[in-house]
Amino acid sequence: MDIREIAKRAKVSTATVSRTINRVPTVDPKLAKRVWRVVDELGYFPNTQARALVSGRSRILGLVVSEITNPFFPEIVQVFENIAVQNNYEILLTSTGHDPVRMEIAVRRMIEHRVEGVALMTFGMEESLLENLKRRKIPMVIVDVGPPRPLVSNIRVDYQHGIRQAVQHLAALRHHRIAFISGPLRLPSARARLDAFKNAMHELDLPAHDELWVEGTHTIEGGVEAAGRLLSLPSRPTAIMCSNDMTALGVMRKSHELGIHIPHDLSLIGFDNIHISEFVLPPLTTIEMSQAELATLAFNALLAELQRKTPNPNGTEYALETHLILRESTARPKQEADNAKKKKAAR
Amino acid sequence: MDIREIAKRAKVSTATVSRTINRVPTVDPKLAKRVWRVVDELGYFPNTQARALVSGRSRILGLVVSEITNPFFPEIVQVFENIAVQNNYEILLTSTGHDPVRMEIAVRRMIEHRVEGVALMTFGMEESLLENLKRRKIPMVIVDVGPPRPLVSNIRVDYQHGIRQAVQHLAALRHHRIAFISGPLRLPSARARLDAFKNAMHELDLPAHDELWVEGTHTIEGGVEAAGRLLSLPSRPTAIMCSNDMTALGVMRKSHELGIHIPHDLSLIGFDNIHISEFVLPPLTTIEMSQAELATLAFNALLAELQRKTPNPNGTEYALETHLILRESTARPKQEADNAKKKKAAR
DNA sequence: TTGAAAGCGCTAACAC
DNA sequence: GTGTTAGCGCTTTCAA
C-alpha cells in the first residue's frame, strides 16, 4: 500500500496525494477530501524512510545522555521526546555510561541515520565525539563549561549560584567543617561544581581542608563509599555537600548505618533536585538544576539552528540557573546547638 | 558522498561496494581492501534510510513503556537498547503515561517508521493499540495476564509466586492485619497483583478486610495518599504490601510524617525491586521482577519472531518468575513482639 | 566474481 | 491547481 495505490483509488496523481498529505494549501478541497477518504479507508501511513531519502531530511535528532539509570536523565528524555514528537521529530537515544566505545558506536548510529542535530547531555568528556559530527556540519547543543566552540551551541549552567547559596546557608547555620563529595573529576561538569564549592568557601573565609573533599562517582554506591571515608575522619565534617543527589542518597544510607543522624549530627545537601529527593527521609535539601528546562533549552537550541538559512558559525550560548531548595536535611551542628542552648540558659 | 562516489574512487561498481560493506563473502579480497580504504578515507557511512527503503527492513523496533520517569523502566530501556544495538537494531521509544492519545500517536509513529516489531512494556490496557499493528502483521511481545492472543507473544509474569512468599513471610511474623495498596485497577497487571495478594491471604486463612486495600497510582504521591488513609484507620494494619516500590516509598514517607516507625510499628513490602529500594531507609523488603530479564526476554521474543520464515499464528508464551527479597522493612508487629517478650520473661 | 540496471516510496521541479 | 517525471542512496536480480 503506497502513494500510488492511494492516487489510483482517489483518481488523482501521486503528486496530489503527496501535497494533500503534506497539507499544501493549494490543493482543491474536493480532491483533498477524496484523498483523505481513501487514506483513511486503507489506513495508509507515509513511509518515513522514503520521505527522508528524497527530502534529505531525516527528522531525527540524536539525544545522548550519560546514564539513563540515574533518575536525573529520564526526566530529560521525557521532556525532550515530548517536544520532539510535537515537532514531528523522532529521537535516537543513547546512554553512554561515559564509555568511549559506546560513544563511538552512538556517533556511527547517528550519522548512519542522518540525524539533523544532536543534543549532548553527558556533562563533559566527549571532545573526540564532536569532531566527526562537526565535520558533517550537524548542529549540536552541549552542556558545557569550557570556552565557546565554533559550530556548537552551549548551555552554560551557572553552578556557582546555587552552590554559593548552599554554602552560605550552611555557614549561616554555623558549620565550619564542610565536606564535598565530587563527581568523577574527568567530567568537566563535576570539576566545575567542585570549583564552585571551593570558591564559595573561600568567599566566606571558610577553610577548605583537602581531607574534606573526596571524589565520588555520581552513584549511590559512590556516595556510600565516600561517606564511609569522610565520616571515619578523626575530626568529622558537620556538613557534606554532594555533586549530585544520588551521591547524597548514598551518604544518607551510610550515615544511618553508622548511627549518625541527619540533620541532627550531620547536615547534607545534594545537587540536581531529582524527583525522589523530596520524598526520602529526611527530605533532601538540594540545589535545583531543572531537568525540564534543560531539555527544553536543548531542543529549542537545535530547532533554532535547524531553521536558520545560513548556519551560525559560532553556535549560540544559553544559560541555566541553579538554586538552593531548602528541605529538612540541614540543621545547626550539634556543638553549636548546644552552645546556643547554654547561652539561652545563662541569660 | 554516496556509494557511487566510493565505487568511482575504488574503481569498482556500486554493487561491489554494497557487497563489501555488507560483508558478502564472495567479494575478491583485493577489491574489498580497495573499497574499505576509500570508505575509511572518506569517512563514509551508509544511509540507513536508503537501505531500509530498498530492503524493506527498517531495522527499528518499537519499545513502549508506561512511565520512563518511574525507575523501573529506565533499567528496561537500558538493557533492551543495548541488546538491540548489538543486533543492529534501533529503537523507537515511547513513554505513554497510559494516555490513550499518546498511545495512538506512538502507534502512528511506529507504523510510519515501519518498525519490524513492538515490545509493549506497559503492563496492560492497550488493546486498541494492538489492532492496527496486528493488521499489519507486525510481531509483538506484551507483558500480559490475559489468555494467549493470536499473533502476539506473551511474557507471563508469575505474580503469585513472589506475592505468596511475601504474605507467608508476614504471616510467619504473626501479622494479621495486612493491607494492600494496589496500582490503578484499570491496569490488568495491577489487578493481577491484587488478586494474587487476596489468594495468598486466603490460602493462609488470613482475613482480607475490604477496608484494608486501597487503590494507588504506582507513584510515590499515590503511596503517600494511600498510606494516609490506611494509617488513620481506627484499627491500623500492622503491615502494608504495595503493588510497586514507588508506592512503598510513599508509604515510608507518610509513616515518618506520622511518627510511625518502620519496621517497628509497621512492616512494609514493595514490588519490582528497583535499584534504589536497596538504599532507602530502612532498606526495603520487596518482590523482585527482574528488569533485565524482562527486557532480554522481550527482545529475544521479537528477534525469534523476526527470524521465522513462516510467522507463528499463535505467538509464543514466555514466563518470568518473581520472588521475595528480604531486607529490613519487616519485623514482628509490636503487640506480638511484646507478647513474645512477656512469654520469655514468664519462663 | 563482478557489473548494469531496475526499483524501493516518496517529493519537487517543471510543464501544462 | 494538477500531473508527469526524475531521482534521493541503496540492494538485488540478472547476465556476463
Side-chain angles (χ1 to χ4, degrees):
Chain A
M1 180 183 11
D2 60 10
I3 207 176
R4 263 177 309 235
E5 180 71 18
I6 308 292
K8 204 194 299 173
R9 300 212 189 194
K11 299 194 195 316
V12 295
S13 70
T14 59
T16 297
V17 176
S18 173
R19 289 187 193 110
T20 305
I21 286 173
N22 291 296
R23 307 205 127 81
V24 173
T26 62
V27 181
D28 181 334
K30 303 241 163 202
L31 295 194
K33 189 170 282 176
R34 247 159 57 204
V35 170
W36 282 122
R37 246 183 78 81
V38 178
V39 165
D40 290 344
E41 268 174 29
L42 298 196
Y44 165 81
F45 289 89
N47 180 320
T48 47
Q49 272 84 263
R51 279 181 154 182
L53 190 56
V54 63
S55 69
R57 313 203 48 199
S58 66
R59 301 210 71 89
I60 301 178
L61 258 26
L63 175 59
V64 186
V65 301
S66 28
E67 199 62 75
I68 199 175
T69 262
N70 173 337
F72 179 75
F73 292 103
E75 201 82 42
I76 290 185
V77 172
Q78 173 97 296
V79 174
F80 194 94
E81 203 215 270
N82 270 343
I83 313 182
V85 169
Q86 277 167 32
N87 287 272
N88 275 305
Y89 275 91
E90 246 8 283
I91 88 176
L92 195 81
L93 178 66
T94 312
S95 174
T96 67
H98 293 299
D99 172 355
V101 176
R102 295 174 64 186
M103 213 110 82
E104 208 176 323
I105 294 175
V107 174
R108 201 202 63 219
R109 288 162 58 202
M110 294 193 290
I111 295 176
E112 288 184 350
H113 282 271
R114 304 295 189 261
V115 295
E116 297 182 29
V118 175
L120 226 50
M121 308 274 102
T122 51
F123 295 84
M125 227 191 60
E126 359 290 321
E127 314 292 306
S128 64
L129 195 155
L130 295 176
E131 284 319 313
N132 206 340
L133 298 169
K134 210 143 87 179
R135 214 179 309 137
R136 290 175 156 80
K137 306 232 178 299
I138 299 175
M140 279 182 281
V141 222
I142 172 169
V143 180
D144 202 11
V145 291
R149 315 153 179 263
L151 294 172
V152 181
S153 291
N154 205 318
I155 300 177
R156 211 163 280 284
V157 179
D158 182 357
Y159 295 119
Q160 189 70 66
H161 185 254
I163 289 181
R164 179 187 288 124
Q165 285 186 313
V167 172
Q168 284 176 346
H169 167 63
L170 255 18
L173 253 23
R174 304 264 193 280
H175 286 274
H176 302 113
R177 294 186 60 76
I178 304 176
F180 191 86
I181 304 176
S182 76
L185 288 185
R186 47 200 180 107
L187 294 190
S189 67
R191 208 173 268 282
R193 292 174 205 186
L194 175 60
D195 290 345
F197 168 72
K198 286 183 176 167
N199 277 343
M201 291 290 279
H202 189 76
E203 284 172 6
L204 294 175
D205 279 327
L206 287 169
H209 302 293
D210 264 1
E211 80 212 50
L212 286 188
W213 76 260
V214 313
E215 185 175 351
T217 58
H218 277 172
T219 63
I220 297 188
E221 287 84 347
V224 170
E225 140 90 24
R229 278 191 278 159
L230 249 18
L231 297 176
S232 65
L233 246 33
S235 171
R236 238 167 49 196
T238 59
I240 299 182
M241 285 181 55
C242 301
S243 188
N244 79 344
D245 283 350
M246 293 301 271
T247 302
L249 297 192
V251 174
M252 284 186 150
R253 161 56 174 238
K254 187 68 184 182
S255 306
H256 180 78
E257 206 175 281
L258 299 175
I260 294 173
H261 185 265
I262 296 175
H264 193 58
D265 304 323
L266 177 72
S267 286
L268 183 63
I269 299 185
F271 193 104
D272 278 352
N273 193 25
I274 58 179
H275 179 243
I276 212 173
S277 301
E278 188 180 343
F279 294 96
V280 292
L281 303 175
L284 182 67
T285 288
T286 188
I287 297 165
E288 164 159 88
M289 164 163 66
S290 165
Q291 290 114 85
E293 234 179 285
L294 199 53
T296 308
L297 230 38
F299 183 86
N300 288 338
L302 249 24
L303 201 61
E305 214 54 41
L306 288 172
Q307 285 168 347
R308 305 176 80 90
K309 45 242 79 196
T310 54
N312 179 352
N314 289 317
T316 314
E317 294 272 318
Y318 299 84
L320 182 66
E321 203 48 85
T322 63
H323 61 272
L324 186 66
I325 307 266
L326 233 43
R327 290 204 275 249
E328 300 166 32
S329 61
T330 54
R332 279 206 172 179
K334 225 179 196 161
Q335 176 92 38
E336 279 294 328
D338 291 350
N339 286 350
K341 259 187 232 152
K342 271 184 219 147
K343 256 190 212 158
K344 223 173 171 178
R347 265 186 274 144
Chain B
M1 180 185 10
D2 59 10
I3 205 175
R4 261 176 312 235
E5 181 71 17
I6 308 293
K8 204 193 298 173
R9 300 212 188 194
K11 300 195 196 316
V12 296
S13 70
T14 59
T16 298
V17 177
S18 173
R19 289 187 194 110
T20 305
I21 286 173
N22 292 297
R23 309 204 125 81
V24 174
T26 61
V27 181
D28 182 335
K30 304 242 163 198
L31 294 194
K33 190 169 280 175
R34 244 156 62 203
V35 170
W36 282 122
R37 246 183 80 79
V38 179
V39 164
D40 289 345
E41 266 175 31
L42 298 196
Y44 166 80
F45 289 90
N47 180 321
T48 47
Q49 271 84 261
R51 278 182 155 183
L53 189 57
V54 64
S55 70
R57 313 203 49 199
S58 65
R59 301 210 72 88
I60 301 178
L61 258 24
L63 175 59
V64 187
V65 301
S66 28
E67 199 63 73
I68 199 175
T69 262
N70 173 337
F72 179 74
F73 291 103
E75 202 81 43
I76 291 186
V77 172
Q78 173 98 297
V79 174
F80 193 93
E81 205 216 90
N82 270 343
I83 313 182
V85 168
Q86 278 167 32
N87 288 272
N88 277 305
Y89 275 91
E90 243 12 281
I91 90 176
L92 196 84
L93 177 67
T94 313
S95 175
T96 67
H98 292 301
D99 172 356
V101 175
R102 296 174 64 187
M103 213 111 82
E104 209 176 323
I105 294 174
V107 174
R108 202 202 64 220
R109 290 161 58 203
M110 294 193 290
I111 296 176
E112 288 185 350
H113 281 270
R114 304 297 189 261
V115 295
E116 296 181 28
V118 176
L120 227 50
M121 307 275 103
T122 52
F123 295 85
M125 227 190 61
E126 0 290 322
E127 314 291 306
S128 64
L129 196 155
L130 294 177
E131 284 318 313
N132 206 342
L133 297 170
K134 210 144 88 180
R135 215 179 308 136
R136 290 174 155 81
K137 307 234 178 299
I138 299 175
M140 281 182 280
V141 220
I142 173 171
V143 180
D144 201 12
V145 290
R149 314 152 179 263
L151 293 173
V152 181
S153 291
N154 206 319
I155 299 176
R156 210 162 281 284
V157 180
D158 182 358
Y159 295 119
Q160 189 71 65
H161 186 253
I163 290 181
R164 179 186 289 126
Q165 284 185 313
V167 172
Q168 285 176 345
H169 168 64
L170 254 18
L173 253 22
R174 303 266 193 280
H175 286 275
H176 303 111
R177 295 186 60 77
I178 305 177
F180 191 86
I181 304 177
S182 77
L185 288 185
R186 45 196 182 108
L187 294 190
S189 67
R191 207 174 269 281
R193 292 173 204 186
L194 174 60
D195 290 345
F197 168 73
K198 287 183 177 168
N199 277 344
M201 291 290 278
H202 189 76
E203 285 173 5
L204 295 175
D205 279 328
L206 287 170
H209 303 293
D210 264 0
E211 79 212 51
L212 285 188
W213 76 261
V214 313
E215 185 175 352
T217 59
H218 277 171
T219 63
I220 297 188
E221 289 84 347
V224 170
E225 140 91 23
R229 279 191 279 159
L230 248 18
L231 297 176
S232 65
L233 247 31
S235 171
R236 241 170 44 196
T238 59
I240 299 182
M241 285 181 55
C242 301
S243 188
N244 80 343
D245 282 350
M246 293 301 270
T247 302
L249 298 192
V251 174
M252 284 185 150
R253 160 59 170 230
K254 187 68 183 182
S255 306
H256 179 79
E257 205 174 280
L258 298 176
I260 294 173
H261 184 264
I262 296 175
H264 195 58
D265 304 323
L266 177 72
S267 286
L268 182 63
I269 299 184
F271 193 103
D272 277 352
N273 193 25
I274 57 179
H275 179 243
I276 212 175
S277 302
E278 189 180 343
F279 295 96
V280 292
L281 303 174
L284 182 68
T285 288
T286 189
I287 297 164
E288 163 158 88
M289 165 164 65
S290 165
Q291 290 115 83
E293 233 179 287
L294 199 53
T296 308
L297 231 39
F299 183 87
N300 288 338
L302 249 24
L303 200 61
E305 214 54 42
L306 287 172
Q307 285 168 348
R308 303 176 80 90
K309 44 242 80 194
T310 53
N312 179 352
N314 289 318
T316 314
E317 294 272 318
Y318 299 84
L320 182 66
E321 203 48 84
T322 63
H323 61 271
L324 187 66
I325 306 267
L326 233 43
R327 291 204 274 251
E328 301 166 30
S329 62
T330 54
R332 278 205 172 179
K334 224 180 198 162
Q335 175 92 38
E336 280 295 328
D338 291 351
N339 286 350
K341 259 186 235 157
K342 270 184 221 151
K343 256 190 215 159
K344 221 173 172 177
R347 262 188 274 146

